[in-house]
Amino acid sequence: MVKLNRRIAALKPSATMAVEGRAIEMKAAGIDVISLAAGEPDFDTPERIKEAARRALAAGKTKYTPVGGLRELREAIALKLKRDNGLDYEANEIVASAGGKQAAANVIASLFDEGDEVILPTPAWVSFPAMVRLAGAEPVELRCPQERGFLLDPSELARAINARTRGIVLNSPANPTGAVYGAAELAAIARVLRDAPQVWVFSDDVYEHITYAGPAPHILRLEPQLRSRTIVLNSVSKTYAMTGWRLGFAAGPREVIAAATRLQGQNSGNPASVSQFAAIEAYSGPQDEIGVMVEEFRKRRNLVVERIRALAGFELPNVPQGAFYAFPDVSKLLGLSHNGRRIADANSLSEFLLEEANVATVAGNDFGAPDHLRLSYATSIENLEKAFARIGKALKKLG
Ligand SMILES: Cc1ncc(COP(=O)(O)O)c(C=O)c1O
């Protein structure tokens, strides 16, 4: 057996990607699988952005760029941060990376060490705990129960912070719950963090524009004092239907951004040059297509909430207010069986639904919620209708 690096050996494949992979295999085998597993908009990248990429290709913009991204891109991101978030950043306080994922991983690796603790309000996106562990630090899950709308309780946060706490990751709108912090709720959390000067705050804004009850407030607008220890994470992936282009960024204090850029320079280099030109257009051009996508997501969200609530054993007390996920509680189904196979947790329910309904979902297990299932509605109304009809039929087989 090959002796792998200790931290890599302990690394699990990304759960969301694993389910997608299995669904793709089944589709390749001719099975009509409907995927409610995808973490990406089903829309095509807007034409104006593709055109900018074609122009870049035609002009031969296919060489290495500065490691942290073209200055022109970082300036476009700075203007975006001002326009959309009311935040002031200079180009040298921004690093562009291969997706928000790489930007987050590089900053986490740059900031944290063995012995450090990073608080993850849970359910949390599957990659954060892995990134923290890879840095040698320890993720500390802080449960945000469904009864509180999956939102963090400021007094619990205050109690959880200790001398080893060095960071916290906030993600609103959230993957996988669709929860969005209101201004008062976020301000209360910001006040707790203001009084914990050793704690770095990650504001993961990748779903910022996909909201159904008004814009999501930004922690730095509510508590500007946190700026000297806040990292803003974002990417073109979800906002502009550009997941495959792999272009995201981190913005924060110069020293940390410089460290993350050095790391990137050693382990990967600049994000793809053509994607950078596409992202410049995404951030700088007309923004109308976002609203069109969000309105479509809203229709689907409304449908999905209704269909989930009609499923026996599924509960969805909170209407998701952002992103494109619903995160129903499936605990009522646990313990039931089909053909001698027991539904022990969301993982086995997800497998059951894939086999019996040919619908791909993501179990809540890896998000820290083994009694919930993540259903993505980044697929057509027609597919959603079909998927819920199939799920309803399959659930009848459980007893
Ligand atoms: C909460 C959250 N943060 C960050 C990302 C990173 O996305 P990307 O690397 O495509 O920018 C994702 C993608 O699924 C996400 O769900």
Side-chain angles (χ1 to χ4, degrees), residues 312-384:
F314 277 59
E315 290 174 303
L316 189 70
N318 309 298
V319 173
Q321 298 299 338
F324 38 71
Y325 308 107
F327 201 57
D329 181 340
V330 293
S331 50
K332 290 234 161 83
L333 296 170
L334 307 187
L336 298 181
S337 309
H338 169 62
N339 281 350
R341 265 175 61 190
R342 195 170 159 271
I343 305 295
D345 58 6
N347 259 333
S348 41
L349 181 63
S350 178
E351 277 166 29
F352 167 81
L353 292 176
L354 188 57
E355 302 304 329
E356 295 298 323
N358 295 151
V359 174
T361 58
V362 183
N365 296 58
D366 285 354
F367 298 99
D371 48 4
H372 284 71
L373 207 58
R374 190 188 79 173
L375 306 178
S376 159
Y377 46 89
T379 188
S380 66
I381 296 260
E382 192 193 343
N383 273 343
L384 291 169

Side-chain angles (χ1 to χ4, degrees), residues 275-292:
S275 296
Q276 293 188 52
F277 285 96
I280 292 170
E281 170 58 33
Y283 284 132
S284 314
Q287 303 291 299
D288 316 305
E289 59 288 280
I290 303 173
V292 177

Side-chain angles (χ1 to χ4, degrees), residues 196-207:
Q198 82 283 14
V199 177
W200 281 85
V201 182
F202 286 74
S203 179
D204 178 345
D205 305 339
V206 297
Y207 296 98

Side-chain angles (χ1 to χ4, degrees), residues 39 99-101 125 128 171 175 204 206-207 235 237-238 246 325:
K101 205 177 222 180
W125 181 44
F128 286 131
N171 173 222
N175 175 10
D204 178 345
V206 297
Y207 296 98
S235 87
S237 289
K238 321 282 176 176
R246 310 309 302 132
Y325 308 107

